[in-house]
Amino acid sequence: MIASRDLGIATSYLNSGAFKPALKIAKRLQKTTPRDPQPFNIAGICLSAMNKLPEAIAQFQRAMKIDPGSIDARHNLAQTLILAGRHAQAIKIVEPLRDSDPTACFFLAQAHVHLGDLTAAEVAINQAVTLRPSFAPAQNLRGLIQTNLGEETEAIAAYEAALALDPNNVETLVNISLPLARQNRHAEGHEMVERAVQLAPEHIGARLRLGTSFIEAGRFEEAKEQFRAVLALHPTQTQAFEQLSLLLDRGEMKTLAGPAQKALGKLRSGSVEAAELQFALSRIEDAMGDRQAAAKAREHANGILAKQLPYDAEEDTRQTERILSRFPDITPSPTDKPDGPYPIYVLGLPRSGTSLVEAMLSRLPNVETMGERAATGFLVQDFVSSDIPFDAGAARIFAHKDAARLPSCPDDTSAYVDKMPENYRYIGFLKTAYPHCKIVHVRRDPRDVALSMWKSHFTGTALSYTYDQTGLAWRIGLYARLMQHWQTIFPDQILTVDYEDLVADPVAGSRAIADYCGLEWSPEMAAPEGSSAPTLTMSASQIRQPVHQRSIGGWRAQADELAEFLEALDTSLWPDLAD
């Protein structure tokens, strides 16, 4: 009776968030009732909440040893293993329950996400939802996984199902905002995240996403307010520093220097957060005129991320060789006309000017811009990494799946623009699936591209080569090889636009783009800064400025900083490169 009473008191403390007294009672009960798994389970929950994860794991393991059938202990152990980064172990714990236990499937999906296996994660989370359709957190996680797989339509449906069950869930409101924006439902996405901030003004993720949404719409002053609000709540929030360093003018940047340095002193050396803040500090130092300090900050930032996200040049080369070998023959241009809206792929190296070309095309009334669609990369990955033939049947399936991921377009749409830069790797697949597609290849001096990438922090892992100058030179060489090959086997089917020529004469350049794409040129194309189309890329603030030539040849002033890249660059692949 006494043990039962004490267990009830411990549970009451636990439910109220009083973890220390709950833990004290649980530890006492472990001595008096050593064959009861509950005190060990309660102790594990308390220790996990106190961030003492190894001790919590030991407690849950003891509970499971006493009662191998304890579902609560198994769930809690899996969740704590995930928090501790021991994802493979978490999978072993919950895998036996995947056929009947939606919570186990939820944790299974989480673990697979952390391990980077989104396909396995999607299978597990779909099972969780099948077993319990009213499981709102599972619907939310399903949306996150589908967003990362480029399945925006399915993701939105999952988030909407989660919101139907829990209308004021802030995490879901934040999460749905991005796929809505990617589906050109920008106003709805913005409304969702504004609602999230209204419900939870101190929610950091909600304010960060709202600030980003303002940037996408070109509302920069309102974006600054959100990021400043984040720093008022959380003075070491590195994403807010990064965004402000991209938005503030030189005068405003001075106010950011002191807080940024103070925040850096509180971050763990070598962490991703420290790298993010070093990128921000490099821009602050540049604005304040200290080029040496800026270069040092960039060196630190890139060095951290190069260790965190090492670039595998050998595997990248193998993939490139596999792609090249798939498309060995010259392919003639199609002679008939496209049926319905056709894709315009704007591609090239990141930071080469693809956003500028997209903004120019967005000025035409019958052209829809889609931003950087991830669908192509996901849909061709199995073909790139294996010997599965990309024949006519596979191309039709690819086109069908790709079309299913497109946002709806107005009835009078002539063409839509996909400006994922690294689609240059997949031109052979794109021309096979869409013979009538238009390829606008934006070419820029690789040294200016390298400088811009060296100064940039990219989300995700796809651009890990940008943090290592030797890797950056190697990847740029692979790009040059691919483009030479595509231009050989698709003669007269790819328009190459030199960035330097485009910004020197935007009228002639934009006219050439319109003519090649079969579109009627408009003078507005030469003034892309007037576009009202939202932009979901790093260049969102830059393309709101009039076309300029300020960055051309900028690498020369920072050649010392780029010395490793310049030494490694294969100049034989760039015969027209001026000194």
Side-chain angles (χ1 to χ4, degrees):
M1 184 68 70
I2 292 174
S4 178
R5 184 195 66 193
D6 286 351
L7 197 61
I9 293 172
T11 302
S12 179
Y13 276 131
L14 183 66
N15 292 337
S16 65
F19 301 115
K20 287 186 177 180
L23 178 62
K24 185 176 181 180
I25 295 171
K27 290 282 192 179
R28 186 171 70 241
L29 285 170
Q30 289 175 6
K31 296 177 181 179
T32 58
T33 58
R35 300 306 302 165
D36 184 352
Q38 274 299 90
F40 295 94
N41 194 42
I42 290 173
I45 295 171
C46 294
L47 289 164
S48 182
M50 296 162 68
N51 204 32
K52 297 180 178 181
L53 302 183
E55 295 174 58
I57 288 168
Q59 293 292 321
F60 294 133
Q61 288 172 332
R62 182 68 183 275
M64 284 187 63
K65 186 175 182 180
I66 295 169
D67 181 8
S70 173
I71 299 299
D72 284 346
R74 190 176 291 270
H75 288 170
N76 292 334
L77 176 57
Q79 185 175 38
T80 308
L81 286 168
I82 290 169
L83 291 172
R86 294 160 64 177
H87 306 113
Q89 288 178 265
I91 289 172
K92 290 181 180 179
I93 292 296
V94 292
E95 181 70 39
L97 305 179
R98 69 177 303 150
D99 291 336
S100 59
D101 185 337
T103 303
C105 292
F106 178 77
F107 291 136
L108 189 61
Q110 281 188 323
H112 280 305
V113 167
H114 286 291
L115 290 172
D117 191 345
L118 294 178
T119 301
E122 187 173 33
V123 171
I125 203 63
N126 285 345
Q127 175 72 348
V129 171
T130 298
L131 291 169
R132 192 194 304 167
S134 61
F135 193 1
Q139 294 281 13
N140 180 57
L141 181 57
R142 188 187 207 179
L144 274 173
I145 293 167
Q146 290 168 330
T147 298
N148 288 327
L149 285 169
E151 300 169 353
E152 269 93 19
T153 302
E154 294 88 343
I156 291 168
Y159 290 134
E160 287 174 341
L163 290 171
L165 296 164
D166 187 1
N168 293 326
N169 186 283
V170 173
E171 295 292 340
T172 308
L173 289 167
V174 173
N175 290 341
I176 197 174
S177 171
L178 181 57
L180 283 171
R182 287 176 176 168
Q183 287 288 299
N184 287 348
R185 297 165 61 180
H186 302 279
E188 293 174 71
H190 189 82
E191 181 183 340
M192 289 290 185
V193 74
E194 277 196 323
R195 187 168 136 210
V197 171
Q198 290 168 2
L199 287 167
E202 296 187 359
H203 192 287
I204 299 301
R207 285 199 178 273
L208 286 172
R209 175 60 198 144
L210 181 56
T212 304
S213 183
F214 278 129
I215 291 175
E216 292 163 2
R219 297 162 64 179
F220 301 129
E221 292 303 318
E222 290 160 290
K224 293 177 191 177
E225 290 177 14
Q226 292 303 318
F227 298 128
R228 286 181 175 127
V230 167
L231 291 178
L233 293 166
H234 194 326
T236 61
Q237 217 298 320
T238 56
Q239 292 177 52
F241 277 113
E242 267 218 277
Q243 293 287 7
L244 284 170
S245 74
L246 291 165
L247 291 171
L248 299 181
D249 60 31
R250 289 180 181 272
E252 294 173 309
M253 204 77 93
K254 293 180 181 179
T255 65
L256 207 58
Q261 288 288 358
K262 185 176 181 180
L264 185 63
K266 296 180 180 180
L267 296 175
R268 181 172 59 84
S269 177
S271 66
V272 172
E273 290 76 19
E276 289 175 337
L277 195 49
Q278 291 280 19
F279 274 117
L281 279 166
S282 73
R283 298 185 193 102
I284 294 168
E285 298 292 358
D286 266 334
M288 296 174 66
D290 192 337
R291 296 294 178 86
Q292 186 174 359
K296 187 175 181 180
R298 279 191 289 274
E299 183 181 2
H300 285 316
N302 284 293
I304 291 170
L305 293 178
K307 289 181 180 179
Q308 296 270 353
L309 302 168
Y311 170 56
D312 190 341
E314 291 184 2
E315 176 56 25
D316 202 4
T317 303
R318 282 192 293 269
Q319 284 206 7
T320 300
E321 296 292 350
R322 285 196 292 267
I323 292 170
L324 290 169
S325 67
R326 279 182 173 272
F327 305 96
D329 301 321
I330 294 176
T331 304
S333 300
T335 55
D336 54 347
K337 293 183 178 180
D339 182 17
Y342 54 91
I344 300 172
Y345 293 100
V346 179
L347 45 79
L349 286 169
R351 315 299 296 161
S352 65
T354 54
S355 292
L356 174 60
V357 173
E358 180 194 39
M360 286 178 165
L361 286 164
S362 76
R363 300 289 272 161
L364 298 179
N366 299 329
V367 174
E368 288 292 305
T369 53
M370 306 294 183
E372 296 180 356
R373 299 180 64 238
T376 299
F378 289 120
L379 292 173
V380 305
Q381 193 53 51
D382 286 344
F383 299 100
V384 171
S385 58
S386 71
D387 294 325
I388 301 172
F390 195 74
D391 54 20
R396 282 194 298 272
I397 293 171
F398 167 89
H400 175 75
K401 290 182 177 180
D402 182 53
R405 288 163 167 77
L406 285 170
S408 59
C409 297
D411 292 339
D412 62 349
T413 300
S414 300
Y416 62 89
V417 181
D418 180 340
K419 67 129 290 191
M420 176 62 78
E422 297 218 344
N423 276 341
Y424 72 80
R425 293 168 60 81
Y426 310 126
I427 288 175
F429 298 98
L430 298 174
K431 290 297 293 184
T432 302
Y434 299 110
H436 299 288
C437 74
K438 300 295 184 179
I439 307 288
V440 180
H441 165 224
V442 188
R443 181 174 58 191
R444 185 182 181 189
D445 188 318
R447 297 163 297 189
D448 280 335
V449 169
L451 178 61
S452 184
M453 288 198 281
W454 187 245
K455 290 181 174 183
S456 302
H457 174 217
F458 300 94
T459 58
T461 61
L463 302 182
S464 61
Y465 62 87
T466 64
Y467 307 125
D468 172 357
Q469 289 197 19
T470 302
L472 181 52
W474 186 259
R475 180 57 176 263
I476 285 179
L478 293 179
Y479 150 81
R481 285 183 58 202
L482 277 162
M483 288 312 306
Q484 287 176 4
H485 181 72
W486 299 136
Q487 287 164 332
T488 298
I489 69 167
F490 297 110
D492 304 321
Q493 297 183 58
I494 298 173
L495 175 68
T496 294
V497 176
D498 286 312
Y499 174 80
E500 293 79 7
D501 294 340
L502 183 63
V503 296
D505 190 346
V507 172
S510 63
R511 188 185 290 276
I513 292 168
D515 290 346
Y516 162 77
C517 293
L519 301 167
E520 185 177 348
W521 180 77
S522 166
E524 293 182 340
M525 288 184 70
E529 70 276 8
S531 174
S532 61
T535 303
L536 278 68
T537 70
M538 181 183 288
S539 305
S541 59
Q542 294 171 321
I543 64 165
R544 306 290 179 180
Q545 305 170 17
V547 177
H548 62 79
Q549 303 178 59
R550 292 191 297 271
S551 62
I552 293 178
W555 69 271
R556 291 185 176 87
Q558 293 175 259
D560 289 347
E561 190 177 350
L562 284 179
E564 190 176 351
F565 168 82
L566 295 171
E567 177 68 25
L569 182 65
D570 184 353
T571 53
S572 69
L573 295 169
W574 302 86
D576 299 328
L577 205 62
D579 293 334

